[in-house]
Amino acid sequence: MKIRIVMSALVLTANFVCHAQAVPTAESPLMSSSLGPNLPSLDGVVHYALSASEIVQYGYYGPGDVSHSTDLSGDIAYTSKSTVRPFGLLFAGGVILANQSGQGTSSFWNLSASQGYITRHWAFNISDSFSFLPQSPTTGLSGIAGVGDLGFPVESPTTGPAGGILTTSGDRIGNTLTGSVERQIASNTSVSGSGSWSILHYLDDNAEQGLDNTQITGIVSLNQRLDARSSASLSAVYSDYYFTGPESGPDEPNFTTRGINLSYSRVLSRSFSANISAGPQWVSSSNGLLIPSAINVAVSAGLSYGYRSTHASVSYSRGVNNGSGVLPGALSDGVSGTVAHTWGRNWLASLSAAYTHTAGLTQALNGDSLVSTNEVFDTVYGGGQLTRRISTHFSGYVSYTAQNQSNNNANLLITPFNVLNGTSQTFGIGITFSPRSTNLGQF
């Protein structure tokens, strides 16, 4: 069987391996049968876009608070044409210049790189993803609302270690190093393995900004191509979670998850593709009183659509994660969706929305006794952007983003002061220069 590898997926989603709210699926690059409807083509050209925007936020730093800033940002993407040594680079970053006293200047940076090596029966890949953010990511490629990158056909840092429960301040670094190998053992069968190391680290002197954590994950899979459009896999997943830094202590025990996943993916048509992965997930910890042993169901499912001028996707995930720097481990259910549509050559509209229900693994304290209620956060955010071509290389846009978060604060344990509580809105207007764009207003 001729080996076919999804180079775009390796490059552009490498930074999200083992980060999702649910246990990762084990989709095999050797067994994949399509580039998928939402990924850009591989042309060996460096694409970039530069943007300048004005952003106004209502209620972000507190009820009734109004803040505004000038943002300068840029995006760069490169994917090589090589089918033997596929390489890719994706960058999104910029500077936030606050226009009022007390806020100061901040920046945001997201960089992902992936290198593959393909032989007749083997596939190797190593990737690294780095992010520096002044707040929790939400919409857009950069995760910063209002900077003009809503609607890109790749995921944002929300699926990485910094995603999840929203916090409004606290410089943080997220990094993930991932390696994988796959061996084809029959015409339609392969075995694969991968390992990843992921960290979330807060840089501010104020120790209450967030909880540092580390995740180490290993996956072993048996992959089978069922036909030209379908593939399935059976995976064993093991993850360790550690908490460090000033905020860690006896109340933040380390914990381990183990799982077995059955995954299935299918290209339904030239426009639709779908995938699902599900299985039991066992949780154990170094302190069974605070985090009792439990069995959960981990699920990851998605549906993608792409045809001519419209691209859309919807996904659902359920599983244990690092707690977003707010909780010492959590079980989350999340639903998200995106859609982008172009009208002719001059107009592009993009929408994005997500909802996550997060329950802490640690049982809340009520006086001297343990109660069954855990800390719970309900997080929802969404945004829209309308882009208009001005000239060959310039376009303008307006955007709107809203986010709301609530929690059962009667039983909270260690919630940092910077956790968003309530509703905030972000308005953005800006201009983009993109000389080598493949889509309006994008790289």
Side-chain angles (χ1 to χ4, degrees):
M1 180 189 71
K2 180 180 178 181
I3 294 175
R4 291 182 289 181
I5 183 168
V6 183
M7 291 177 290
S8 292
L10 284 175
V11 169
L12 298 178
T13 64
N15 54 322
F16 309 115
V17 175
C18 303
H19 276 177
Q21 298 289 350
V23 136
T25 63
E27 183 176 351
S28 161
L30 288 175
M31 308 306 293
S32 299
S33 57
S34 170
L35 285 175
N38 285 346
L39 294 175
S41 61
L42 307 173
D43 57 6
V45 176
V46 175
H47 295 268
Y48 66 94
L50 302 174
S51 298
S53 58
E54 288 291 325
I55 295 177
V56 178
Q57 294 178 304
Y58 292 90
Y60 191 74
Y61 297 104
D65 179 82
V66 179
S67 61
H68 52 101
S69 62
T70 299
D71 290 25
L72 306 176
S73 60
D75 309 299
I76 301 174
Y78 172 78
T79 50
S80 69
K81 292 183 178 180
S82 174
T83 58
V84 177
R85 296 178 177 85
F87 172 79
L89 182 72
L90 182 64
F91 169 83
V95 179
I96 302 172
L97 307 172
N99 294 328
Q100 67 277 341
S101 61
Q103 297 298 331
T105 299
S106 59
S107 61
F108 54 96
W109 313 96
N110 297 282
L111 176 64
S112 301
S114 175
Q115 177 66 65
Y117 178 65
I118 313 301
T119 68
R120 182 178 180 183
H121 297 297
W122 289 89
F124 302 89
N125 188 69
I126 185 169
S127 62
D128 189 71
S129 171
F130 171 84
S131 68
F132 171 84
L133 297 168
Q135 62 194 46
S136 294
T138 53
T139 59
L141 177 63
S142 65
I144 304 298
V147 300
D149 57 6
L150 187 63
F152 281 86
V154 292
E155 296 185 60
S156 76
T158 55
T159 55
I165 300 171
L166 300 179
T167 54
T168 59
S169 62
D171 291 339
R172 67 208 67 186
I173 287 176
N175 192 81
T176 297
L177 178 64
T178 303
S180 66
V181 60
E182 182 171 5
R183 175 68 162 95
Q184 185 179 330
I185 58 177
S187 60
N188 292 312
T189 307
S190 71
V191 292
S192 60
S194 66
S196 69
W197 170 80
S198 175
I199 64 166
L200 176 63
H201 173 61
Y202 287 83
L203 301 176
D204 291 347
D205 293 334
N206 191 328
E208 295 183 2
Q209 294 284 5
L211 183 63
D212 293 353
N213 57 75
T214 301
Q215 176 186 350
I216 300 174
T217 296
I219 305 174
V220 178
S221 304
L222 175 65
N223 313 293
Q224 178 69 38
R225 184 189 295 277
L226 304 178
D227 54 43
R229 293 186 174 186
S230 304
S231 62
S233 66
L234 181 65
S235 307
V237 184
Y238 181 92
S239 295
D240 275 331
Y241 297 82
Y242 304 93
F243 298 94
T244 58
E247 281 293 279
S248 64
D251 291 335
E252 293 76 41
N254 303 326
F255 66 93
T256 298
T257 64
R258 293 165 293 171
I260 298 175
N261 288 335
L262 181 62
S263 305
Y264 176 77
S265 62
R266 179 170 177 81
V267 178
L268 303 174
S269 66
R270 291 187 177 183
S271 301
F272 283 99
S273 64
N275 66 84
I276 185 170
S277 176
Q281 186 178 57
W282 290 267
V283 180
S284 59
S285 75
S286 59
N287 187 331
L289 291 177
L290 291 176
I291 301 182
S293 297
I295 300 178
N296 303 305
V297 177
V299 181
S300 178
L303 178 65
S304 297
Y305 171 82
Y307 182 71
R308 293 184 178 178
S309 59
T310 303
H311 296 273
S313 65
V314 62
S315 63
Y316 168 76
S317 63
R318 172 183 171 82
V320 172
N321 56 72
N322 63 5
S324 310
V326 175
L327 301 173
L331 175 64
S332 298
D333 291 88
V335 180
S336 63
T338 62
V339 60
H341 180 78
T342 58
W343 286 272
R345 298 178 62 252
N346 296 326
W347 291 94
L348 168 66
S350 306
L351 297 172
S352 175
Y355 166 76
T356 304
H357 176 84
T358 304
L361 297 181
T362 304
Q363 296 187 96
L365 293 173
N366 184 6
D368 296 328
S369 64
L370 287 172
V371 295
S372 59
T373 301
N374 296 345
E375 302 173 66
V376 176
F377 288 82
D378 289 291
T379 306
V380 59
Y381 57 83
Q385 179 176 307
L386 183 63
T387 305
R388 173 69 161 88
R389 183 187 302 276
I390 299 174
S391 65
T392 303
H393 301 317
F394 284 91
S395 61
Y397 68 88
V398 293
S399 68
Y400 171 76
T401 303
Q403 51 192 12
N404 177 271
Q405 186 165 265
S406 60
N407 57 67
N408 63 336
N409 55 11
N411 291 298
L412 292 182
L413 286 171
I414 59 166
T415 302
F417 71 92
N418 59 346
V419 168
L420 177 68
N421 187 18
T423 301
S424 73
Q425 303 177 75
T426 302
F427 298 86
I429 183 170
I431 188 170
T432 299
F433 172 69
S434 51
R436 296 176 179 175
S437 66
T438 56
N439 293 291
L440 177 60
Q442 304 174 0
F443 55 71

